[in-house]
Each structure stands twice: as structure tokens, then as C-alpha cells.
Amino acid sequence: QVPLVESGGGSVQAGGSLRLSCAASGFTASESCMGWFRQTPGKERERVASILSAGNTFYGDSVKGRFTISRDNSQNMVSLQMNSLKAEDTAMYYCAAVPNSRYSCAQSQTIHYWGQGTQVTVSS
């Protein structure tokens, strides 16, 4: 059983939108910290957005006002709606989780589970 399975991603022109989804299994997303990170070659993985078990959401400065993280408790899933995409948003995006935690998961070192990654490419 794979803990996190991602879907979505792909290629889009600048200004467009994409939606990423992440299905969790083996643990309850609503009782966990869930997040999205991204990484480009040669750079560290950076937190894009996260949602705490209490529902609080947090975003990286570069995506505030453009990206929205949400959670569907009935489906045990989290999603990332990405609007007004820019070329610099191009990266591999990873779903992340710290199961059974009410604390933040902004630091990659704290992550217990990673998704397989999905590529997002934005052309200018």
C-alpha cells in the first residue's frame, strides 16, 4: 500500500492553471499535516503549501495568492489548485505527509511520507 499517490500536473502556458491531487492511504489525512513541496535540479526541495490537521493553511511567499491547498476528508485527499502559473513554477511537485500530527510540516526533514512526484512545466 503506497501511502501517497499523486495525480495531475502536466504542461501549461504562463497564466494558466493546474490542479494536483494526492490520495492518502494507511492513515487519516485530516489527522495529519499534509503538504506540497517542489524541487528543481540542483536546488533543495521547498515547501509550497501545507495544511495542518486543524485546517490552518500556510504558503510559501512565491505562491501566496495564486495557489490554494485544500483537503477532502471524505476522500482522504489533499489538492493543490495552482492559478496564474509562471515559468518559475516549473518543478517536480511532491505530496508530503506527517501522519497523526497536529504540528507544522513546513520542513522537508520532518516529512514521513513522500509521493512519487509529478512534473509541472509552465512555458512562457
Side-chain angles (χ1 to χ4, degrees):
Q1 196 177 35
V2 179
L4 299 173
V5 177
E6 301 159 359
S7 59
S11 297
V12 66
Q13 289 192 329
S17 298
L18 285 173
R19 185 176 182 86
L20 306 181
S21 294
C22 174
S25 60
F27 66 97
T28 303
S30 63
E31 298 176 358
S32 309
C33 184
M34 304 289 294
W36 290 92
F37 287 69
R38 66 187 182 187
Q39 189 172 26
T40 55
K43 293 190 176 182
E44 292 188 357
R45 198 167 290 189
E46 65 168 342
R47 192 275 309 266
V48 174
S50 54
I51 181 167
L52 305 188
S53 57
N56 310 71
T57 56
F58 300 90
Y59 298 91
D61 288 341
S62 62
V63 306
K64 282 180 182 176
R66 301 188 297 121
F67 290 12
T68 302
I69 188 171
S70 60
R71 188 175 64 209
D72 185 335
N73 294 340
S74 66
Q75 298 293 322
N76 208 34
M77 294 180 64
V78 293
S79 296
L80 183 70
Q81 178 65 42
M82 305 184 292
N83 297 330
S84 301
L85 282 160
K86 305 176 181 179
E88 50 263 43
D89 294 318
T90 295
M92 185 71 76
Y93 284 70
Y94 296 90
C95 181
V98 180
N100 307 312
S101 172
R102 56 188 177 94
Y103 298 111
S104 172
C105 54
Q107 302 298 321
S108 60
Q109 300 92 319
T110 66
I111 301 301
H112 289 202
Y113 296 134
W114 293 100
Q116 78 277 13
T118 186
Q119 179 67 37
V120 171
T121 301
V122 184
S123 57
S124 57

